[in-house]
Each structure stands twice: as C-alpha cells, then as structure tokens.
Amino acid sequence: MGTGTQRLVILGAAESGVGAALLGKQQGWEVFVSDYGKIKENFRETLLQNGIEFEEGGHTERKILNAECVVKSPGISDKVAIMKQVRDAGIEVCSEIEFAYRYKGDSKIIAITGSNGKSTTTKLTYNILEEAEYDVAMVGNIGYSFARQVAERPCKWYVMEISSFQLDDIHTFRPDVAVLLNITPDHLDRYNYVFDNYIASKFSITKYQNATDYFVVNQDDKVIKQYLATHSIHAKIIYFTMDENNIDKEQEGGHISDSRLYIEYEGETLDMSIHDLTLKGKHNQYNTMAAGISSRIAGIRKEKIREVFGAFEGLEHRLEYVATIRGVKFINDSKATNVNSVWYALESMEQPVILILGGQDKGNDYSEILELVREKVKAIVCLGADNKPIHDFFGHVVDTIVDTKSASDAVHASYAFAEKGDVVLLAPGCASFDLFKNYEDRGKQFKEAVQNL
Ligand code: ADP
C-alpha cells in the first residue's frame, strides 16, 4: 500500500471511520468519507476542522469506486449495495484496524476478542499496563479507535478490544498477543446465520501471527476446542482453564483450582485467592486469567498484576449493583446482549431472581439458560417491542411473564413481583435498539427508574 496521491475512501463516519480519515490524511492519502446516514455533530466537526472531504445521506458512486482502498466501518454489512459494487470493482477493502496497523511502527499490540468479556478484559489489562507505567493506550470498541490513536498520540503499547466485524477485512494485522475469550452464537444476522462463519471470523485474530507471537485462549470453550482440533495455529498457544481435567501445572498459562487463581509464566507463579478479586462471577475469573497472562507476556511483574486484580472496579452496565430498596436488590447488566452473558449473570446470582429480558432478538436460542431459569427465576418481565419468542419459550417454564415497553414500567412491574431478599436483574439477552438508543441508554434508564422508586 502506497501513499502520495492515492485515494482512500471511508464508508461510515463514526469513531473508526473518522479515525481512519485522520490517519489517512496525515499519511498523505487523498481522503473521502461517505456516510449513508446522518453524521453525528462531533464527527462532522472533526472532519471539517481537518479539511477532510465528506458526504452524508447517501453514497456518490463515482467518488467511491475510484478508490485505491476502501475502509469499511464495522457497522456496515457486506450486503449493502455499495459494498457489492466496491467488491465487484476489485478495490482493496480494509477494516480500520488493518489500515491503522500499517502505520503502527514498532509498537506492540494486545488484541482481545470473544463473544463476551472483551471490554472488561481490555480495561483490566489496560489498567495493569498503565499502573506499571507503560506508554499504553486502550483502543478499539472502547475508547478511541486504533487509527485515531495512531494518528494523534502514538504509543508503545496498544490494548485493543476487537469485534468480529473488525476482523473480517484484515490482510496483515498481526497482534503480538491475541486473546480469544469464548465463542457463543452472537450477531448471526451478519453471518448469514451460519455459526461457522462467525467462528472463522473470531479466529482470524490469529491468522497472520507467527511463532514469536502469543495466542491466549480459553481451553474450556467447546467451540474453540473443536476448532483447534481441526486447524493449526502458528502462534505460541497459552491456555487458561478452570476445568480440573485440563489443568497442567507444568504448562505456562492460567488456571483456577480450590478457589485459587494461578498464572504460570517463565518459571514464576502468580497465586491468589479468588475471594480477593474485585470482579465477581465465574465469567470474570476467565477474564482475569486472560488479562493476567497477557500482562505477564508484556513483561509486567506478578506483584503489580495482583495489586490491580484486587482493586479493579469493573465497568458500568456489566453486572453493576444499583441499589437495594426494601430488601430488593437491583442489578444492571444491560450489556448482556446475548444469551450466554445472561447465563453467566444468572449463574452468579445467589437469590431468587426477577429477570428483565428481551429487546431486539438476534436469533436467540434460550435453551442454554433453561435450567438456570427453572432453578432461579420467579418471574420474567419482558422489555422489548416484540416479546413473542420469550413467551413461546418460557410460557410453560415460568408462571409469571408480563410485557413492558419502557424501563420504568419494567422496574415497577419487577418491584411489584419481588419480595424481600429477591434480586431484580436486568440482563436482556438482546440488543436494545427496538426501544432504546443503545445498551447504555437502556442501563441508564433502568438505574434512573430504580432511583425513583
Ligand atoms: P463485550 O465487550 O465482549 O461485550 P463486556 O465485558 O462488555 O464484554 O461484557 C458483556 C456482558 O457479558 C456483560 O453482561 C458481562 O457481565 C458478561 N460477561 C463478561 N465477561 C464474560 C465472559 N467471559 N463470558 C460470558 N459473559 C461475560
């Protein structure tokens, strides 16, 4: 890929698109940004201030199909007309991380992907590197886009949260440490409802790695295990596990046994009680192991890692405690947008649950949580525009199922069903776009409604 007067077209003007535009301009490309919808005010401002040509409310084909390279925002599906034309014209298509990667110099990358736990693990890993006074930035779905960071404040280390969409158009992207947390069905609407396509997309994080790189991966995940049995990986694989049958104390990696967490690396053992971890729940023990191994590979001392593990606060909207009102506890897990994250949320509940479930269904199969719902859930309060799939699935399992269409109604209904000692859990298992702006909006409205009770 050259520079000079080559034409770079960016489709989609949000964080990653604008980041790519800034970097492209800085690197001497002739940049054009095209957004089919309306561009958000702050992004439009940035484009204007930097003298970057753009359009919104449609795509002008002749200004796009003359590009040398097209950077596609992760939100844009390959099925839209303009993408078909770009592909037919044989133009190189890059994701934003691929584009930025080409300008990252000799910096190092820890890239984190998976169906669930990306943000938490990314933030935790970043905090460790930051506490150790590394020159580090947190980029990707959380924080600035990688491209914007490379353009505006290049660092020696990048801790990056990567979604499968970002991995779909990479051609050279090679992280020093790639982390794969888990794979469960999500976003199948974008993968022709073929789970194997989504799996392949997640594994492409390791596609361009070689034997000097690391692939940190969950050994207990059945989908991952099956893939690894039939595909070869070039990077050095380091596992983390809490399955007694998998634990091999001679191997480098992470494991949990007898309520203690161990990270083995280069002949040293980090060892601490899981009760001293600030993050609660099994899922977070996996996230913690992944972050711990990655940080050890990055050269951080185990004492520093242990210190951060015992102080990390967690993120908003992830099993976030809101309040206890007349003995009823409220928990906001609005970020639980797929069934697997609902499983982990329910798994970590110790009291009877009133479950707020529903939203925009991405082709959910609720059988995964059936057992836990039977065991722990007293009532389901649906919070979605169309709640039929929930009624169909749980109609004979849970006695009480009601429909609500706002966070406030959902909170009131839940509170009415709850008795002292119960917990009201917002873990929708669905996207939020039918009734809310996004999951943050859903979580905020939920918390507000609780505060107003
Ligand atoms: P992501 O960035 O991958 O969406 P988050 O850290 O934001 O991940 O967490 C998303 C949801 O999944 C939250 O509801 C959280 O409680 C749950 N979760 C976090 N880590 C895991 C994990 N390792 N496995 C399953 N669920 C998880």
Side-chain angles (χ1 to χ4, degrees):
M1 181 160 79
T3 52
T5 53
Q6 297 208 79
R7 187 167 173 86
L8 175 69
V9 170
I10 292 152
L11 299 180
E15 180 55 36
S16 72
V18 170
L22 292 170
L23 181 60
K25 167 133 198 203
Q26 185 194 71
Q27 296 294 333
W29 289 76
E30 172 193 306
V31 180
F32 178 63
V33 179
S34 175
D35 196 312
Y36 193 78
K38 205 172 142 44
I39 299 178
K40 269 202 195 145
E41 197 49 48
N42 57 330
F43 294 130
R44 188 187 307 117
E45 272 303 301
T46 306
L47 293 173
L48 283 170
Q49 274 165 15
N50 288 277
I52 294 168
E53 193 193 345
F54 65 91
E55 66 175 350
E56 56 187 323
H59 296 307
T60 308
E61 285 165 28
R62 66 182 166 79
K63 291 185 161 191
I64 294 171
L65 299 175
N66 58 351
E68 263 76 39
C69 176
V70 166
V71 171
K72 177 175 80 85
S73 294
I76 298 173
S77 160
D78 243 338
K79 290 182 201 121
V80 302
I82 191 72
M83 279 314 299
K84 286 208 184 100
Q85 289 171 292
V86 166
R87 301 256 185 219
D88 287 347
I91 301 168
E92 184 188 31
V93 179
C94 286
S95 71
E96 171 259 329
I97 56 166
E98 169 67 28
F99 184 73
Y101 178 76
R102 299 174 182 189
Y103 300 103
K104 64 138 194 131
D106 58 5
S107 62
K108 303 238 180 223
I109 296 173
I110 299 174
I112 296 162
T113 196
S115 303
N116 290 305
K118 296 182 290 296
S119 299
T120 305
T121 308
T122 302
K123 182 76 181 0
L124 179 56
T125 309
Y126 168 76
N127 279 21
I128 296 169
L129 267 64
E130 171 149 75
E131 283 295 318
E133 296 181 9
Y134 274 39
D135 175 27
V136 59
M138 177 166 71
V139 295
N141 279 6
I142 179 167
Y144 273 173
S145 61
F146 182 29
R148 187 194 285 241
Q149 190 76 41
V150 169
E152 293 184 347
R153 195 181 77 79
C155 291
K156 286 214 175 69
W157 284 87
Y158 297 97
V159 182
M160 191 180 299
E161 172 184 340
I162 305 186
S163 71
S164 50
F165 305 145
Q166 286 273 33
L167 289 167
D168 283 341
D169 289 290
I170 58 167
H171 313 295
T172 60
F173 178 76
R174 173 162 86 83
D176 300 270
V177 181
V179 177
L180 178 56
L181 293 166
N182 44 51
I183 304 183
T184 58
D186 196 4
H187 302 294
L188 292 187
D189 43 349
R190 282 279 293 270
Y191 292 95
N192 294 326
Y193 295 93
V194 179
F195 190 30
D196 280 342
N197 296 350
Y198 175 68
I199 297 169
S201 163
K202 287 283 180 207
F203 267 96
S204 59
I205 195 168
T206 188
K207 195 164 165 186
Y208 299 101
Q209 288 191 299
N210 64 35
T212 61
D213 304 317
Y214 293 85
F215 182 45
V216 177
V217 62
N218 183 340
Q219 196 173 6
D220 304 343
D221 187 295
K222 291 194 182 64
V223 175
I224 291 177
K225 200 169 176 176
Q226 201 178 16
Y227 185 96
L228 287 176
T230 50
H231 295 76
S232 60
I233 301 291
H234 303 296
K236 186 169 171 183
I237 298 184
I238 300 203
Y239 289 111
F240 54 92
T241 177
M242 53 176 84
D243 179 344
E244 288 292 337
N245 301 314
N246 285 336
I247 295 174
D248 177 354
K249 292 183 178 144
E250 303 300 305
Q251 284 277 336
E252 291 189 329
H255 69 266
I256 288 181
S257 79
D258 296 330
S259 300
R260 295 194 76 80
L261 175 143
Y262 299 89
I263 309 264
E264 308 279 351
Y265 189 73
E266 289 194 334
E268 277 192 45
T269 308
L270 182 163
D271 165 6
M272 74 188 281
S273 164
I274 58 167
H275 304 297
D276 293 334
L277 302 174
T278 41
L279 285 182
K280 300 298 170 206
K282 251 189 189 168
H283 56 302
N284 279 322
Q285 292 166 13
Y286 281 113
N287 301 339
T288 302
M289 287 192 279
I293 298 166
S294 306
S295 306
R296 288 289 292 131
I297 296 171
I300 313 246
R301 286 175 30 242
K302 59 183 191 194
E303 291 76 14
K304 181 59 76 185
I305 298 173
R306 200 186 290 130
E307 194 183 301
V308 178
F309 282 174
F312 184 65
E313 297 250 343
L315 295 167
E316 198 182 357
H317 310 299
R318 281 89 171 165
L319 283 184
E320 178 193 7
Y321 170 76
V322 183
T324 301
I325 297 172
R326 297 218 184 105
V328 179
K329 189 155 124 185
F330 289 83
I331 292 179
N332 167 26
D333 197 18
S334 178
K335 186 69 198 291
T337 53
N338 53 41
V339 180
N340 186 251
S341 46
V342 181
W343 188 91
Y344 278 100
L346 286 173
E347 203 272 338
S348 66
M349 294 297 124
E350 282 158 6
Q351 297 144 295
V353 176
I354 316 293
L355 178 64
I356 305 181
L357 189 67
Q360 199 178 62
D361 192 306
K362 291 177 276 188
N364 281 352
D365 175 6
Y366 289 109
S367 44
E368 193 185 339
I369 57 168
L370 181 61
E371 274 315 302
L372 279 173
V373 169
R374 271 215 182 94
E375 192 189 316
K376 298 187 176 179
V377 174
K378 288 168 72 174
I380 294 179
V381 174
C382 302
L383 176 56
D386 171 16
N387 302 315
K388 189 167 179 300
I390 297 171
H391 284 276
D392 287 351
F393 195 90
F394 293 108
H396 298 291
V397 180
V398 177
D399 292 339
T400 312
I401 305 183
V402 296
D403 290 326
T404 62
K405 298 252 180 287
S406 72
S408 162
D409 287 351
V411 166
H412 280 106
S414 307
Y415 192 49
F417 294 131
E419 294 165 291
K420 198 169 173 222
D422 291 352
V423 47
V424 173
L425 171 67
L426 170 70
C430 297
S432 57
F433 309 114
D434 53 342
L435 297 177
F436 303 92
K437 273 194 240 133
N438 46 38
Y439 76 85
E440 288 101 334
D441 178 37
R442 177 168 63 191
K444 287 216 162 71
Q445 290 198 31
F446 172 77
K447 289 198 279 182
E448 259 167 45
V450 173
Q451 305 299 355
N452 290 336
L453 272 177

